């Protein structure tokens, strides 16, 4: 069992930065790939970024490449999402998720994730 708690959301002006954190409980965190997704009002949940169990590989949706960085600290059971150059269209609830294993396959799909956090709101004003 893995419990995930996101933090770090808030309101920021366009061009600003936020750093999201996702603290995980449970002893299997370090063996799982992790992902960040987001959901805006009236829209489906969409993939943002993912990272393999070791942190050796990271993957991004095209719309965040060059602006967002995913990282993890397995000693702290925490995964991060550094968000720079934020845009109003980045406004959403951001969720972290723990994959069923450490594989890098299909991390852009929700189906490979077993556990989800409750989400943290990010609001970017123009």
């Amino acid at each position: 069992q893995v419990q995930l708690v996101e933090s770090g959301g808030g309101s920021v002006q366009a061009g600003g930065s936020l750093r999201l954190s996702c603290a995980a409980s449970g002893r299997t965190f370090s063996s799982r790939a992790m992902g960040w997704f987001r959901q805006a009002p009236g829209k489906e949940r969409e993939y943002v970024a993912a990272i393999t169990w070791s942190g050796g590989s990271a993957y991004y949706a095209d719309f965040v490449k060059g602006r967002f960085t995913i990282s993890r600290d397995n000693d702290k059971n925490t995964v991060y999402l550094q968000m720079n150059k934020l845009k109003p269209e980045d406004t959403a609830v951001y969720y972290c998720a723990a994959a069923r294993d450490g594989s890098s396959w299909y991390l852009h799909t929700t189906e490979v994730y077993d556990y989800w956090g409750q989400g943290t709101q990010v609001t970017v004003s123009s």
Side-chain angles (χ1 to χ4, degrees):
Q1 188 80 1
V2 176
Q3 291 184 325
L4 304 172
V5 179
E6 300 98 334
S7 61
S11 297
V12 65
Q13 289 192 327
S17 299
L18 285 172
R19 188 194 196 202
L20 305 184
S21 299
C22 173
S25 65
R27 288 178 282 182
T28 63
F29 171 81
S30 61
S31 65
R32 297 176 183 264
M34 297 292 294
W36 285 97
F37 289 74
R38 69 186 187 186
Q39 188 166 17
K43 295 187 176 182
E44 293 188 352
R45 190 168 297 190
E46 64 179 354
Y47 163 75
V48 175
I51 190 166
T52 53
W53 67 273
S54 66
S57 295
Y59 309 93
Y60 300 93
D62 287 344
F63 55 79
V64 302
K65 283 182 180 176
R67 300 190 298 125
F68 291 11
T69 303
I70 188 172
S71 62
R72 66 189 296 162
D73 185 337
N74 285 345
D75 290 335
K76 296 182 178 179
N77 274 19
T78 303
V79 63
Y80 305 96
L81 186 67
Q82 176 67 45
M83 305 186 295
N84 299 327
K85 300 179 182 178
L86 283 161
K87 305 175 181 180
E89 51 264 42
D90 294 320
T91 295
V93 177
Y94 283 70
Y95 299 90
C96 72
R100 64 177 63 106
D101 56 35
S103 171
S104 61
W105 293 96
Y106 304 112
L107 290 177
H108 61 288
T109 65
T110 59
E111 286 76 13
V112 302
Y113 295 92
D114 285 343
Y115 301 99
W116 294 83
Q118 84 289 348
T120 185
Q121 176 70 46
V122 171
T123 302
V124 185
S125 58
S126 57

